């Protein structure tokens, strides 16, 4: 399963990625709405783990744009 993590806190992201990797789930990590949307455009993941408070907008902004474009 291909996952996308959109999380601006590196400590949280590293812990999640480590555990997901142990479970056999590769995960791409981005820290902003813009980078998350760019990653989404490159390869559509099966699951997105999304922080709601991001430096360049909210997780809801990400969802609105993702639904509009995918």
């Amino acid at each position: 399963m291909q996952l996308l993590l959109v999380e601006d806190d590196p400590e949280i992201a590293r812990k999640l990625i480590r555990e997901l990797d142990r479970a056999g789930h590769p995960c791409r990590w981005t820290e902003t709405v813009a980078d998350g949307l760019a990653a989404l455009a490159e390869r559509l993941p099966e699951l997105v783990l999304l922080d709601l408070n991001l430096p360049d907008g909210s997780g809801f902004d990400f969802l609105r744009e993702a639904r509009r474009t995918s």
Side-chain angles (χ1 to χ4, degrees):
M1 180 183 305
Q2 180 64 36
L3 307 176
L4 172 62
L5 172 62
V6 185
E7 169 62 60
D8 63 328
D9 184 321
E11 185 176 333
I12 292 171
R14 280 192 288 271
K15 288 177 182 179
L16 283 170
I17 290 168
R18 182 178 60 239
E19 294 305 316
L20 289 166
D21 190 51
R22 283 185 192 174
H25 302 294
C27 184
R28 181 164 183 189
W29 171 38
T30 64
E31 298 182 68
T32 66
V33 170
D35 290 344
L37 291 170
L40 193 67
E42 287 176 18
R43 182 171 181 189
L44 192 61
E46 295 175 69
L47 178 70
V48 176
L49 301 170
L50 181 60
D51 185 1
L52 292 180
N53 296 309
L54 297 162
D56 62 340
S58 76
F60 295 113
D61 298 330
F62 176 92
L63 284 174
R64 274 189 291 278
E65 185 63 21
R67 286 181 177 160
R68 190 180 71 73
T69 59
S70 64

